[in-house]
Amino acid sequence: MAANNMHNLTTLIKRLEAATSRLEDIASSTIEPAKSNGVSPTAPATSPAPLPTPQPPVPPTVKETPKPKADPLPESVEAFDAVINGSVKKFTDLSNVLGGPVAKQAARVGELFAAQRRFILVSTKAKKPNFTPDNEGLKAIQASVLAIGDIKNANRGSPAFNQLSAVADGTDMLGWWVTVDPKPHKHVEESKNSALYNGNRVAKEFKDKESKEHQWLQAYYQIFKDVAEYAKDTFEQGIPWNAKGVSFEEAWKSSQQSGSPQPSVGGPPPPPPPPGPPPPPSLLLEGVSAPKPAPAASGLDAVFSELNRGEAVTKGLKKVTADQMTHKNPSLRAGATVPTRSDSQSSSSSISRGKSPAPGKKPKPESMRTKKPPIKKLDGNKWFIENYDNESVPITIEASISHSILISRCNKTTIIVKGKANAISIDNSPRLSLIVESLVSSIDVIKSSNFALQVMGTLPTILMDQVDGAQVYLGKASMNTEVFSSKCSGINLNVIDATSEEEDYKEVPLPEQIRTWIGKDGKINSEIVEHAG
């Protein structure tokens, strides 16, 4: 029994020793071996451990300030941009193809629409102002309108004068925002009538529908349609303005500083040329001290310019010496005496010849005549329009059915009669252009060369006496008009061609030659002479 217990104890001790040995092995494997001279015994002495590469410092992050978002465009401005990028851009592109003054004028039309767009944008932010001549918005629009008219006036001898006149006469359509409230679209439709007169001339000159001029005219008419639809859809009762907005001047300046994007009407302008080198100082001094001489004046202008010279006017006179003076040289007085006729000679000469007639009084030249001030007034039921000369803006009359209109001594002037008047009389008015809606009675024209008339509605009678050259346009409603002419030449009626689908005008000349003969029964017979070529 004792031997058996010893055997168990021995076995237990061996197992404890084996477990202790295993624990020591595990402990020795986890402890780092000792280093001598700072170097591990397992590492070679000649190769030190590489140092870790230091990381570069991270730069501080800069927070970008977010850009302010642009305010969304109002719907009224977006709709107007559609008009500019549509019909207006097509018109300017075709004008650039034609080139010359037509392209220059179209560029001004683009500036006019850009100013109109800015005005519409400002109206959404500002209160309604009291419009005065100093208003910045009015100045910008009026500057473009005047520039368009100046291009027309500067090219009166150009073949494209009718096109330039049609555009200049139609710029009044952009006055709908300030002249008519409510229903401003009616103003645009009526403004087209002002452009139709010269537009019909362009259509008559370029009848080929494939020509660039015909396409240009149709594109111009399309602008009126688009602007009228825009005004009708967007501002049926006029521009509403912003009752809680800022003043008009403040909104106008802010719109200029913010630089709101503008739709492009034409191509981008070419970059400006680089500036040249400055002139030397000597040239600058010459330019200051020696200005270019003004062109020599002629006629009365030369006389007045000489008188305005003051004391310098006598510098060009020759000096009179003492021997040339009659009061110091008696011989000059004796030699200059005019011989007088004897009484017998004078009496005989008076008997032999009759009294010579007085020289005829020549009329004064146009430059020396006193110009009377223009008159436009309503006296009772009569309108008086007199003494207008070369007016760039059409004269508009609001007439009623009881009004009679008297036009006298108006030269190169366009008159528009709105409403239905009674009668119109025209006297001594060369190059007068008249646009009439409707009349109750007649139009009487006397001594007015190069006369032009366009009837939009009805007109019973036209009377012309001593008229040299006239163009009369009759609309659909005036096909029953009667024309009486006396001592006239070059009268052309333009009526709508019934065979044309687009209602084009057809020119019909009035007869000038009459053939008269005496018949067998002794009666006088007359007929119109027709020339068949």
Side-chain angles (χ1 to χ4, degrees):
M1 182 72 180
N4 196 7
N5 290 334
M6 289 294 294
H7 177 72
N8 292 336
L9 181 61
T10 304
T11 303
L12 181 61
I13 292 172
K14 288 182 179 180
R15 293 180 64 183
L16 288 173
E17 289 178 352
T20 303
S21 177
R22 291 183 61 187
L23 289 174
E24 289 178 353
D25 292 340
I26 293 172
S28 62
S29 62
T30 57
I31 297 173
E32 186 176 358
K35 298 178 182 179
S36 63
N37 297 330
V39 179
S40 175
T42 58
T46 58
S47 61
L51 297 175
T53 305
Q55 295 291 337
V58 180
T61 58
V62 179
K63 294 184 179 181
E64 295 183 359
T65 57
K67 296 181 179 180
K69 295 183 179 179
D71 296 335
L73 288 176
E75 294 182 359
S76 58
V77 179
E78 291 181 350
F80 197 73
D81 288 346
V83 176
I84 295 179
N85 295 325
S87 55
V88 178
K89 186 176 186 302
K90 182 179 179 181
F91 168 74
T92 53
D93 291 343
L94 290 173
S95 300
N96 292 333
V97 172
L98 297 179
V102 176
K104 293 180 181 179
Q105 194 182 51
R108 297 294 186 181
V109 172
E111 295 176 1
L112 178 60
F113 273 86
Q116 176 85 90
R117 177 191 185 275
R118 183 180 174 189
F119 188 93
I120 296 174
L121 178 61
V122 169
S123 69
T124 62
K125 304 176 181 179
K127 302 175 184 178
K128 185 175 182 179
N130 295 324
F131 290 107
T132 61
D134 296 333
N135 186 278
E136 294 296 332
L138 289 179
K139 283 184 178 179
I141 294 176
Q142 289 174 352
S144 299
V145 172
L146 292 176
I148 293 171
D150 291 341
I151 293 176
K152 180 199 77 170
N153 296 330
N155 295 273
R156 288 191 174 274
S158 171
F161 180 69
N162 290 332
Q163 295 169 264
L164 301 176
S165 300
V167 175
D169 295 343
T171 52
D172 187 44
M173 66 174 165
L174 290 184
W176 58 267
W177 48 271
V178 70
T179 56
V180 180
D181 190 16
K183 297 183 179 180
H185 63 277
K186 291 187 176 181
H187 175 79
V188 181
E189 296 170 355
E190 293 175 357
S191 299
K192 185 180 178 182
N193 297 334
S194 302
L196 277 177
Y197 173 70
N198 288 289
N200 290 334
R201 286 185 170 184
V202 177
K204 186 176 70 173
E205 184 179 358
F206 303 98
K207 296 181 179 179
D208 185 10
K209 297 180 181 179
E210 300 298 329
S211 64
K212 295 294 183 182
E213 290 78 6
H214 186 85
Q215 297 176 8
W216 174 90
L217 182 63
Q218 298 305 318
Y220 179 55
Y221 287 161
Q222 186 62 38
I223 295 178
F224 287 92
K225 297 180 182 178
D226 292 349
V227 173
E229 291 179 0
Y230 167 79
K232 184 176 181 180
D233 297 340
T234 311
F235 301 109
E236 176 67 22
Q237 301 298 324
I239 294 182
W241 297 94
N242 190 345
K244 299 181 180 179
V246 298
S247 64
F248 182 89
E249 291 75 12
E250 183 179 350
W252 185 266
K253 291 180 181 178
S254 64
S255 67
Q256 185 177 11
Q257 295 172 357
S258 61
S260 56
Q262 304 246 353
S264 61
V265 178
S282 60
L283 293 180
L284 292 176
L285 292 177
E286 290 177 0
V288 174
S289 60
K292 294 183 179 180
S298 60
L300 288 177
D301 294 338
V303 176
F304 287 113
S305 63
E306 288 293 328
L307 293 177
N308 290 332
R309 290 172 58 187
E311 296 180 355
V313 72
T314 60
K315 286 185 177 180
L317 299 178
K318 294 181 179 180
K319 185 176 181 180
V320 181
T321 59
D323 58 342
Q324 296 175 340
M325 300 179 184
T326 56
H327 66 284
K328 291 186 178 181
N329 193 347
S331 61
L332 293 178
R333 293 198 300 271
T337 303
V338 180
T340 58
R341 293 183 300 175
S342 61
D343 295 339
S344 60
Q345 288 178 344
S346 61
S347 60
S348 62
S349 62
S350 62
I351 295 173
S352 61
R353 65 181 181 88
K355 187 177 180 181
S356 59
K361 187 177 181 181
K362 295 183 180 179
K364 291 183 179 180
E366 196 69 27
S367 59
M368 296 182 64
R369 293 182 183 177
T370 304
K371 290 186 177 180
K372 297 181 180 180
I375 297 174
K376 176 189 173 185
K377 65 178 181 179
L378 177 61
D379 187 2
N381 290 332
K382 290 185 178 181
W383 278 97
F384 292 92
I385 304 175
E386 300 175 354
N387 306 323
Y388 281 92
D389 187 14
N390 199 12
E391 286 291 318
S392 59
V393 180
I395 301 170
T396 305
I397 299 175
E398 297 288 346
S400 64
I401 199 169
S402 61
H403 288 171
S404 297
I405 303 172
L406 304 178
I407 303 172
S408 178
R409 296 183 298 277
C410 293
N411 180 30
K412 296 180 182 179
T413 305
T414 301
I415 300 176
I416 302 174
V417 180
K418 295 185 178 181
K420 191 171 186 179
N422 186 8
I424 300 177
S425 296
I426 303 171
D427 182 24
N428 288 318
S429 298
R431 297 186 179 276
L432 176 71
S433 300
L434 180 63
I435 301 174
V436 180
E437 289 188 1
S438 294
L439 286 181
V440 176
S441 180
S442 63
I443 293 180
D444 192 359
V445 186
I446 302 173
K447 293 182 180 180
S448 300
S449 60
N450 296 320
F451 170 72
L453 170 65
Q454 183 171 5
V455 183
M456 310 304 298
T458 58
L459 174 60
T461 308
I462 301 175
L463 305 172
M464 288 185 284
D465 185 13
Q466 302 180 48
V467 177
D468 184 13
Q471 294 286 339
V472 180
Y473 293 87
L474 300 176
K476 273 186 175 181
S478 55
M479 287 291 108
N480 296 325
T481 301
E482 294 182 351
V483 181
F484 296 87
S485 60
S486 173
K487 298 181 183 180
C488 298
S489 62
I491 309 298
N492 294 320
L493 295 181
N494 294 271
V495 297
I496 295 178
D497 189 0
T499 61
S500 174
E501 296 180 356
E502 296 186 2
E503 297 182 353
D504 293 333
Y505 279 90
K506 177 178 67 175
E507 187 177 74
V508 180
L510 293 189
E512 298 179 16
Q513 292 183 336
I514 305 296
R515 172 176 172 261
T516 303
W517 71 95
I518 303 174
K520 295 180 179 180
D521 53 357
K523 293 183 178 180
I524 301 297
N525 300 314
S526 300
E527 68 176 7
I528 298 173
V529 177
E530 296 183 1
H531 298 276

